Amino acid sequence: VTHRVAPMAMGATEGGSSIWSALPDPLRAFANRLDGKRCPKELEGRWRIDNRRSEKLCPFVVGLGVPYWACPAIGILERSTELKISCPESTSSGVESIVIEDTTALSKRNVTEVRLDGVEVEKATRTGRKRYMLSGSVENDHLEAEVASKTSVVTCRLFQRGPGWETRQERALVHQHDGAVRLRERNVLQRPAEEDVVVDRFFEKVQ
């Protein structure tokens, strides 16, 4: 599944909030920036993938260089995906972070902890063979009416592949057509001179 990602709204205000709309523009902008560094606690908990509503990760991983023949095995693994999202206590500097634990029935737990101040930190893969720049942020502004929360964004800039290579995971609560609210995980792969690859997966809360 390959799509273009719609650009995020810049400078939009939170709809439906008379308090926010009454604030002067400079004060509202400052409050947005401050709130944008806070871990979205509404995402906390344990979430299990909804396979019927989720797209397959195959286009995303193939875009990263995984051979296409590996897709069936990846598809079997992702059917049992569970996420555990938590917001640990902020550090003495006041910077908050988010912790995302990703597990399947047959794979080890993969834990990502990232600060939400947008500052890049150099990391290595488990094997140590590849390095990337990891950063986290929270977005309050969006174009989609169905989004029901702030959006947690985890970005990996794949600098060893060259300029323009980046993956992004955007997680937010969304209202769906059946009336339920689910966690949407949007996986975005950006590459130079190519369309973005976007894969949406949906999760239901189990705890």
Side-chain angles (χ1 to χ4, degrees), residues 78-132:
E78 64 179 321
R79 287 179 199 161
S80 60
T81 302
E82 286 195 3
L83 300 178
K84 182 181 177 183
I85 300 176
S86 57
C87 296
E89 293 292 326
S90 59
T91 63
S92 57
S93 64
V95 176
E96 296 196 7
S97 61
I98 190 168
V99 178
I100 299 148
E101 300 180 24
D102 186 328
T103 59
T104 70
L106 300 175
S107 64
K108 293 181 179 179
R109 184 181 62 163
N110 181 51
V111 181
T112 300
E113 181 170 2
V114 59
R115 289 159 55 108
L116 297 172
D117 55 4
V119 177
E120 291 189 325
V121 178
E122 187 170 338
K123 297 283 187 178
T125 58
R126 285 184 175 181
T127 62
R129 294 169 55 193
K130 296 181 180 180
R131 305 192 70 83
Y132 57 94

Side-chain angles (χ1 to χ4, degrees), residues 9 11-22 28 32 139-150 175:
T13 60
E14 292 188 346
S17 172
S18 59
I19 296 176
W20 281 75
S21 60
R28 185 168 61 242
N32 258 322
E139 294 178 351
N140 297 313
D141 304 327
H142 45 74
L143 292 174
E144 300 166 290
E146 67 267 24
V147 176
S149 71
K150 293 186 290 185
H175 294 288

